[in-house]
Amino acid sequence: MDPWQECMDFGVEVTKEAGKMIREALQKEISVREKSSPVDLVTETDQKVEELIISSIREKFPTHSFIGEESVAAGAPSALTDGPTWIIDPIDGTTNFVHRFPFVSVSIGFTVNRQIEFGIVFSCLEDKMYTARRGRGAFCNGTPITVSGQQDITKSLILTEMGFKKDPEHFRTVMANMESVLSIPVHGIRAPGSAAVNMCLVACGAADAYYHIGIHCWDMAGGAAILTEAGGVVMDITGGPFDLMSRRLIAASSRGIAESIAKKIQPFCCGRDDTEN
Ligand code: IPD
């Protein structure tokens, strides 16, 4: 008997409800506020969707813990413990949501003993529900998915994101990293605007890798489960082991491609999710 399957099934149902709420909100006027910078946005819908997800799950599983993007923004702790923990991004791709750009997702990762047991990413405007249970494969709308398996970086399509910090040093490093990867050469770089969707795009073979410095555990947890179950790898940007709370990752279709990217990019300081930044 799988102790966490019931949680996953419940999580999928709640995620569908959340996706419905997001699609309905897109029919109305969207009121936007700034968070950490003028390009880090939040809407009423981010907060309402997170409330819906957390209250539904808490009612069913009252002893479980939560790390939610909007709860952390409001002052809740984001330390990962050994207990069952739901790591939630109610709208991953808020800027896309604000502009009605079609990659907007609900992302949930579930950890026990700090290990990700399952991931759920609902790209709700595309109506694609990605799911993965540890050891049981990855799926999109119930159909198994696998990474491209591409080993040759010069034949790869790479995803990344520019992030929200715009101080000159950060900006220069992000641009220098893109230049360095492009000059390998690779077939191209894309920035779809939702970290969770990016990992699912690699998981289903539409892209070969995704790297990012400065994201958060709620952007990565669901997608990391889906990518690894689809046969991909996640690692730190230095080539070391992936650390969910480190705010950085390379997610790739093969270890070879991930290592090639690790050799090309320079880290910059972005703090951790489990310490004061
Ligand atoms: C953001 C998206 C975006 C990435 C940011 C994330 P949010 O998530 O994943 O692609 O560039 O770093 O924070 O804020 O829309 O949930």
Side-chain angles (χ1 to χ4, degrees):
M1 178 64 184
D2 178 347
W4 309 122
Q5 189 62 47
E6 188 194 0
C7 300
M8 182 166 163
D9 294 342
F10 189 73
V12 169
E13 290 313 310
V14 173
T15 303
K16 283 182 191 161
E17 280 300 304
K20 199 170 152 225
M21 195 183 234
I22 293 169
R23 282 197 302 258
E24 282 169 6
L26 281 173
Q27 308 305 318
K28 302 178 193 145
E29 198 182 323
I30 301 170
S31 79
V32 187
R33 283 188 298 108
E34 293 171 6
K35 280 208 291 192
S36 65
S37 83
V39 290
D40 182 7
L41 308 179
V42 64
T43 70
E44 224 175 54
T45 309
D46 292 72
Q47 287 153 344
K48 281 191 180 155
V49 172
E50 183 159 318
E51 271 163 36
L52 167 83
I53 296 173
I54 295 186
S55 61
S56 312
I57 297 172
R58 185 169 274 146
E59 199 182 327
K60 176 102 175 148
F61 304 107
T63 61
H64 290 186
S65 301
F66 297 88
I67 299 176
E69 177 174 19
E70 304 315 329
S71 311
V72 171
S78 69
L80 190 58
T81 63
D82 287 339
T85 303
W86 299 77
I87 302 177
I88 298 158
D89 192 339
I91 301 184
D92 185 48
T94 302
T95 306
N96 288 353
F97 171 73
V98 166
H99 292 271
R100 297 176 168 82
F101 190 74
F103 299 115
V104 174
S105 64
V106 181
S107 174
I108 296 183
F110 178 82
T111 63
V112 181
N113 293 323
R114 296 163 204 254
Q115 180 170 43
I116 306 173
E117 289 291 342
F118 63 77
I120 302 166
V121 173
F122 185 28
S123 182
C124 55
L125 305 190
E126 302 182 283
D127 206 16
K128 289 186 175 170
M129 176 69 80
Y130 296 93
T131 52
R133 169 81 182 96
R134 185 165 66 87
R136 303 210 178 151
F139 299 84
C140 177
N141 292 343
T143 302
I145 53 171
T146 55
V147 294
S148 67
Q150 181 60 260
Q151 301 283 337
D152 182 349
I153 185 103
T154 69
K155 294 190 168 54
S156 66
L157 184 66
I158 310 294
L159 310 178
T160 191
E161 298 291 339
M162 273 60 89
F164 298 137
K165 284 166 102 184
K166 292 287 176 272
D167 59 279
E169 192 204 331
H170 169 267
F171 195 67
R172 266 195 299 276
T173 314
V174 169
M175 292 301 149
N177 283 342
M178 284 177 72
E179 185 178 349
S180 179
V181 170
L182 276 172
S183 64
I184 291 175
V186 295
H187 279 178
I189 290 190
R190 304 284 184 269
S194 160
V197 170
N198 291 352
M199 279 185 269
C200 293
L201 289 169
V202 179
C204 65
D208 303 295
Y210 165 50
Y211 73 89
H212 196 147
I213 306 167
I215 45 173
H216 293 276
C217 57
W218 47 82
D219 300 312
M220 301 191 275
I226 290 158
L227 177 76
T228 49
E229 284 301 318
V233 295
V234 284
M235 65 171 62
D236 183 59
I237 50 144
T238 58
F242 172 63
D243 173 350
L244 182 58
M245 306 310 275
S246 69
R247 301 198 56 195
R248 50 197 219 178
L249 99 156
I250 300 173
S253 59
S254 68
R255 181 159 293 277
I257 286 198
E259 283 169 352
S260 303
I261 293 172
K263 281 188 201 130
K264 284 285 172 181
I265 59 176
Q266 296 300 318
F268 53 82
C269 187
C270 58
R272 294 180 55 83
D273 275 326
D274 50 6
T275 53
E276 291 295 317
N277 298 319

